[in-house]
């Protein structure tokens, strides 16, 4: 009888006793083939890898009982069954999350169809393995590791999904929300510290009133409890003489990018458009600010992204494109183009025209008004980063207001209780060291 083929997939940067236990079980069943989940799927499903895919392959090849190591390109197992015809799939029994449950269903369906068997091994969840897993995840929060990850993500995923955060708790939502959606598992890769939402959380208008010390405090609150990269909304960047200090501070903290907009004087939120007085800086003024910021930064990781307000201020497509060209020439590492129209066509037109003369520079968009366009459509027009800039704040506000009103109305909290997150869940959201 030919030897049975046993397959297991690892999505880890370190091998600990839990993994060795799985390999031991595999070896008892036949020839051991281990899959290394590719980078883009590891990011979607779990977290950013600390080791390159080649390093992870070498690490697993070094385990004595492993016969072969392959790259698994999709978190679901369809291709694996086609390619290897395994007799057994061995997996830890840690199917707790909905994402894991989706994977289990996929394996069970394929196993039933192909006459294979899923073998579950008790997941080794002791103090040592927990500590190794936690420390590996937490390393991603260190400034040197966090800062450079945005650039890497741009080249690794089709479009970088970015969620607004303005506190530790919203940071945790961006960090931990994972959704299994049909055959894909998804999570946000990056966080956005919005000037609008950071100001709103403090009950202040979005006019560069909240000072940098306070904005940095928000970044720090988020950083303390998360590992994902951060893009900072730097408003106009302020005076060039001040902006260079902001760049240094953000870079030192481990922020990946700052986006500054080409306005001057009293800045108002872009979604007001021309309803309020707002002045665009000249191309020369803003280019000089970008160039000064680029000269000030100390690492190659940090990105200064130029935000163009021409469409917001109704200055036309040609002006927007001329500015994009000039700001890239001044050193901008990316272009954010903004619009407050519901119809995404001017954004699409900008992206298509920009890509005619610049294939490389990352494009960032904030689809608050033009929210019918999907991530896939944006990516097909050359967009690299999509920012959901204020939805968390706008979701929380009506819920909090209604709860406050109902408590006043009923003179007790009983009536609102069923709409609230159970205390147990809020406690489990927060990690303890
Ligand atoms: C923010 O989130 O603060 C932004 C995006 O700058 S917008 O509010 O659309 O101008
Ligand atoms: Mg802003």
């Amino acid at each position: 009888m030919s030897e049975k083929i046993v397959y297991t997939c690892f999505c880890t940067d370190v091998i600990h006793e839990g993994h060795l236990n799985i390999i031991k079980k595999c070896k008892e069943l036949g020839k051991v083939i281990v899959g290394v989940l590719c980078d883009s799927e590891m990011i979607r499903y779990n977290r950013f890898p600390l080791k390159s895919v080649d390093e992870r392959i070498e690490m697993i090849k070094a385990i004595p009982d492993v016969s072969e190591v392959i790259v698994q390109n999709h978190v679901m197992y369809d291709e694996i069954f086609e390619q290897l015809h395994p007799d057994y799939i061995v997996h830890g029994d840690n199917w707790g999350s909905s994402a894991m449950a989706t994977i289990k269903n996929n394996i069970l369906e394929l196993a039933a169809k192909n006459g294979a068997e899923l073998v579950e091994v008790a997941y080794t969840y002791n103090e040592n393995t927990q500590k190794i897993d936690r420390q590996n995840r937490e390393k991603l929060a260190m400034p040197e590791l966090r800062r450079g990850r945005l650039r890497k993500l741009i080249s690794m995923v089709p479009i970088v999904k970015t969620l607004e955060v303005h506190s530790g708790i919203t940071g945790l939502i961006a960090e931990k929300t994972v959704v299994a959606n049909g055959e894909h598992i998804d999570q946000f890769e990056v966080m956005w510290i919005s000037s609008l939402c950071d100001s709103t959380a403090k009950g202040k208008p979005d006019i560069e009133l909240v000072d940098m010390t306070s904005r940095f405090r928000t970044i720090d609150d988020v950083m303390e409890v998360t590992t994902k990269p951060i893009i900072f909304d730097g408003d106009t960047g302020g005076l060039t003489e001040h902006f260079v200090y902001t760049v240094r501070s953000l870079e030192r903290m481990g922020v990946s990018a700052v986006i500054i907009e080409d306005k001057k004087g009293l800045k108002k939120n872009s979604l007001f458009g021309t309803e309020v007085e707002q002045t665009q800086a000249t191309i020369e003024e803003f280019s000089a600010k970008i160039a000064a910021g680029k000269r000030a930064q100390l690492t190659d990781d940090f990105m200064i992204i130029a935000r163009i307000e021409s469409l917001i201020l109704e200055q036309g497509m040609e002006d927007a494109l001329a500015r994009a060209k000039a700001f890239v020439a001044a050193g901008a590492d990316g272009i954010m183009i903004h619009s407050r129209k519901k119809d995404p066509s001017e954004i699409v037109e900008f992206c298509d025209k920009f890509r005619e003369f610049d294939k490389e520079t990352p494009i960032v968009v904030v689809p608050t008004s033009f929210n019918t366009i999907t991530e896939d459509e944006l990516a097909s027009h050359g967009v690299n980063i999509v920012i959901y800039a204020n939805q968390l704040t706008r979701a929380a506000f009506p819920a909090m207001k209604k709860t406050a009103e109902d408590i006043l109305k009923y003179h007790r909290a009983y009536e609102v209780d069923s709409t609230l997150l159970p205390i147990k869940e809020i406690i489990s959201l927060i990690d303890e060291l």
Side-chain angles (χ1 to χ4, degrees), residues 123-168:
Y123 190 69
T124 313
Y125 211 55
N126 60 29
E127 218 174 282
N128 185 37
T129 59
Q130 256 174 295
K131 190 171 156 205
I132 292 173
D133 285 345
R134 204 187 55 233
Q135 283 188 346
N136 267 290
R137 179 173 280 278
E138 285 166 1
K139 272 185 198 161
L140 292 167
M142 301 305 284
E144 291 302 318
L145 284 179
R146 191 186 312 234
R147 191 194 305 114
R149 220 173 313 136
L150 176 63
R151 277 194 194 273
K152 292 187 184 146
L153 278 165
I154 291 170
S155 63
M156 288 163 97
V157 300
I159 188 162
V160 178
K161 304 182 295 299
T162 306
L163 188 67
E164 176 267 319
V165 302
H166 54 268
S167 60

Side-chain angles (χ1 to χ4, degrees), residues 146-197:
R146 191 186 312 234
R147 191 194 305 114
R149 220 173 313 136
L150 176 63
R151 277 194 194 273
K152 292 187 184 146
L153 278 165
I154 291 170
S155 63
M156 288 163 97
V157 300
I159 188 162
V160 178
K161 304 182 295 299
T162 306
L163 188 67
E164 176 267 319
V165 302
H166 54 268
S167 60
I169 191 82
T170 50
L172 284 176
I173 288 174
E175 180 81 11
K176 296 193 173 193
T177 305
V178 181
V179 164
N181 185 3
E183 57 180 45
H184 282 302
I185 291 175
D186 266 311
Q187 56 183 302
F188 293 99
E189 288 99 10
V190 172
M191 299 178 287
W192 164 245
I193 309 272
S194 150
S195 68
L196 172 66
C197 298

Side-chain angles (χ1 to χ4, degrees), residues 321-322 324-325 328 350 352-359:
L321 289 162
K325 210 177 247 179
V328 171
F350 175 90
D352 290 345
K353 289 191 167 153
F354 181 73
R355 282 285 173 248
E356 278 172 22
F357 62 82
D358 187 330
K359 301 260 180 283

Side-chain angles (χ1 to χ4, degrees), residues 33-54:
I33 304 181
V34 180
V36 171
L37 194 61
C38 72
D39 288 341
S40 57
E41 285 290 279
M42 188 160 162
I43 292 163
R44 261 185 132 144
Y45 152 76
N46 188 350
R47 60 168 171 77
F48 197 92
L50 284 164
K51 286 191 170 131
S52 72
V53 73
D54 291 336

Side-chain angles (χ1 to χ4, degrees), residues 164 192 194-197 206 233 235 261 267 269-271 307 309 336 338 366 368 389-390:
E164 176 267 319
W192 164 245
S194 150
S195 68
L196 172 66
C197 298
D206 181 18
D233 177 358
D235 289 316
E261 58 196 271
K267 184 220 90 144
N269 185 274
S270 297
L271 301 176
R307 165 171 166 175
E309 293 285 289
M336 175 182 148
H338 207 16
V366 178
T368 302
N390 50 44

Side-chain angles (χ1 to χ4, degrees), residues 79-327:
E79 275 172 26
I80 294 300
F81 271 85
E82 260 172 49
Q83 196 183 326
L84 301 176
H85 307 290
D87 298 290
Y88 296 101
I89 300 287
V90 178
H91 200 289
D93 64 353
N94 51 324
W95 305 108
S97 66
S98 66
M100 295 294 273
T102 309
I103 296 173
K104 182 174 181 177
N105 284 341
N106 170 260
I107 298 174
L108 285 175
E109 269 174 33
L110 290 162
K113 229 189 276 171
N114 293 279
E117 196 185 320
L118 169 64
V119 176
E120 296 177 53
V121 179
Y123 190 69
T124 313
Y125 211 55
N126 60 29
E127 218 174 282
N128 185 37
T129 59
Q130 256 174 295
K131 190 171 156 205
I132 292 173
D133 285 345
R134 204 187 55 233
Q135 283 188 346
N136 267 290
R137 179 173 280 278
E138 285 166 1
K139 272 185 198 161
L140 292 167
M142 301 305 284
E144 291 302 318
L145 284 179
R146 191 186 312 234
R147 191 194 305 114
R149 220 173 313 136
L150 176 63
R151 277 194 194 273
K152 292 187 184 146
L153 278 165
I154 291 170
S155 63
M156 288 163 97
V157 300
I159 188 162
V160 178
K161 304 182 295 299
T162 306
L163 188 67
E164 176 267 319
V165 302
H166 54 268
S167 60
I169 191 82
T170 50
L172 284 176
I173 288 174
E175 180 81 11
K176 296 193 173 193
T177 305
V178 181
V179 164
N181 185 3
E183 57 180 45
H184 282 302
I185 291 175
D186 266 311
Q187 56 183 302
F188 293 99
E189 288 99 10
V190 172
M191 299 178 287
W192 164 245
I193 309 272
S194 150
S195 68
L196 172 66
C197 298
D198 199 3
S199 306
T200 303
K202 293 167 172 60
K204 300 267 173 69
D206 181 18
I207 53 170
E208 298 189 275
L209 173 65
V210 177
D211 66 38
M212 275 302 162
T213 308
S214 173
R215 307 267 338 262
F216 290 170
R217 184 63 237 168
T218 303
I219 296 176
D220 210 33
D221 285 345
V222 171
M223 281 188 157
E224 276 205 62
V225 296
T226 62
T227 64
K228 293 183 178 178
I230 291 178
I231 304 175
F232 181 72
D233 177 358
D235 289 316
T236 66
L239 295 173
T240 300
E241 293 82 347
H242 295 176
F243 179 57
V244 289
Y245 282 89
T246 305
V247 166
R248 280 279 171 93
S249 302
L250 293 170
E251 204 184 7
R252 191 179 58 245
M253 291 173 89
V255 169
S256 301
V258 62
I259 299 186
I260 51 170
E261 58 196 271
D262 59 352
K263 290 203 293 232
K264 63 179 179 183
L266 180 61
K267 184 220 90 144
K268 305 264 174 68
N269 185 274
S270 297
L271 301 176
F272 283 123
T274 50
E275 287 155 30
V276 293
E277 207 182 301
Q278 310 209 56
T279 316
Q280 215 171 358
T282 63
I283 289 184
E284 293 69 31
E285 285 166 338
F286 199 66
S287 296
K289 196 182 286 188
I290 292 163
K294 289 308 291 176
R295 281 195 301 275
Q297 80 180 60
L298 294 175
T299 68
D300 293 334
D301 296 337
F302 189 74
M303 298 174 76
I304 298 179
I305 298 174
R307 165 171 166 175
I308 296 167
E309 293 285 289
S310 304
L311 304 181
I312 292 281
L313 300 174
E314 296 173 10
Q315 295 304 301
M317 188 61 65
E318 289 316 309
D319 185 67
L321 289 162
R323 282 170 179 267
K325 210 177 247 179
F327 299 157

